[in-house]
Amino acid sequence: MEEHEQLEDKQTAVQTNARAADKATAEALAETPVKAPAEAAGATPAKTKPRRRRHRGLKVALIVVACVAAIASLVFTGVVQWRLGLASSSDFMIGEPQPIEAVEGSVDASGNITANVTYSSIVADDGKDATETIEWNDDWFFADSSEYNHQLARTAIVLSTVANSESVHYQAGSDSGDYMENILAQLGFDNMSTASYQYRSEIIDQLSAVFKDKGTDVTAYTIASKEIVNSQTGEKKLLVMAAVRGSYGTEWLSNLAMNFRSSMSDTYGYGENDHQGFSEAAQELESRIFSYIMNLGHDPRDLSDISLFVCGHSRGGAITNLLGSAIDKEYYEAEAATKVGAAEVGKGADGDVGNSAAIDGAIWIKGCIPAKSLYAYAFATPELTESSNCRDAMYNNIFNIMNPSDLVPRMPLNVWGYERYGVDLWLPEYGNHGFDQQFIAVCAKFSEHVRCETKSDPTDVEDVDKIVSDIAEVAPTIDDFKTPVGVVKSLYSMINGHDIVRIIHSHAPDLYCAWMETIDASDLRTTR
């Protein structure tokens, strides 16, 4: 009996232990994740990606970027509007008084003068200022302006180069000197105005110009004056000079504005066939020059005792060319009106009308700068007009001096109908007799003044000829060039097989300075 009871107790204990073991196993299985077959075989388990968390992070990043972009856009727009507001209220704008400042250190220099010049050169390797020495003579501005003056041309290219570097002086944080004021002081000039540089030299100003109507159709310039006396006759004149800056920043967009001015009045002497971008800037400069003369207290109704000297390189050369042509047109139109009126009086018929016309013409012509007193020297001048009479003798006081290996004077293409006003004068060309010795001397002058070797290559004249020929083939008209295909093909013609960077060095004003100092007037040619 006792043995039977002990056996039952053992069976009960075994059953209790089995149930406990089964419960523990079930709990363990419930807590253990189900493994994929590959994982069960010993493969590394794949990590579960937190997709919702990742998508949430991406959305946050996009929102932050959008907010930053919006804030940056608002800040940029605000800065642009601020600069445009300052520029609009500044004194260099058309219709506003032109501020005139005395040239510091100016001396009562007259007659024959030698001046030492320093300026910032963009082609200098060491970042140091370049140097030049120029000659000046007040008597130049009593001579017939249609007679080419090589000494004056030498001085003009240096002034044009300094006009380019003047922008450095107006940039924030710059420690560059006032190059133009220094040279004008040595030459005896006073009453200088460089206000146009103030809001046209910073990067923000160039960007702002894009958002303003015709905002890139501008330039910067220096205007100054001096009283001069003819050493032979004692005649007195007021000499006004304007040195015009070349292409700068977004003004390159204006260089491409080749639409003719068909919708613009001819009031200022700018023809409907003139390059729009250059004409807008030239018209502003002309307006500023006449305002400047009035601010000096000079009677604008009588400009017969004024001589005007204008110079510039590249875009500055184009503006010089068009300004000169406009002043010439105005003078000769006034002269023609005077002659017509006088002829009517002479006929005896309708004499009152004729006499009135003669008087009106005489008044008109006195309010014009005499053509014989306009001295316009332009360098690296682009083609800029479709005018059929741009080579007439009335424009013989405008001289365009150009380097054959420079591409800029060949653009826009002549086959598109573009030419220049005035007289073309070409520097010596590779392949001409004696050229090699001339270029050696030019390189020596360049190194002396800029303190580095010129990177230009005169043999590039062959590349320039090829580029012009290729563009004319892919875009035979200006309308062909303006199409997207025409632009792409033309750009390809420029870079295909040509070292365009080296070609650009033939456009440098410093190289023009070296050429003009090396050669004589007899070395220049009117045709290539």
Side-chain angles (χ1 to χ4, degrees), residues 195-215:
S196 59
Y197 283 91
Q198 185 174 2
Y199 293 106
R200 294 176 179 173
S201 298
E202 299 279 11
I203 294 177
I204 186 62
D205 298 323
Q206 295 300 310
L207 293 175
S208 300
V210 177
F211 296 90
K212 183 180 180 182
D213 182 36
K214 298 181 181 178

Side-chain angles (χ1 to χ4, degrees), residues 9-44:
D9 291 340
K10 289 182 179 179
Q11 289 177 347
T12 301
V14 169
Q15 290 175 355
T16 301
N17 291 337
R19 283 196 295 271
D22 290 342
K23 184 179 180 181
T25 302
E27 291 177 353
L29 289 173
E31 294 176 358
T32 303
V34 179
K35 297 182 179 180
E39 187 176 347
T44 302

Side-chain angles (χ1 to χ4, degrees), residues 82-125:
W82 169 67
R83 293 297 288 188
L84 289 176
L86 289 177
S88 298
S89 62
S90 71
D91 293 328
F92 71 79
M93 298 302 292
I94 295 177
E96 297 293 333
Q98 178 77 0
I100 299 173
E101 300 177 357
V103 176
E104 184 177 351
S106 179
V107 295
D108 187 19
S110 60
N112 205 3
I113 308 167
T114 299
N116 298 314
V117 182
T118 59
Y119 65 91
S120 176
S121 172
I122 62 173
V123 297
D125 290 335

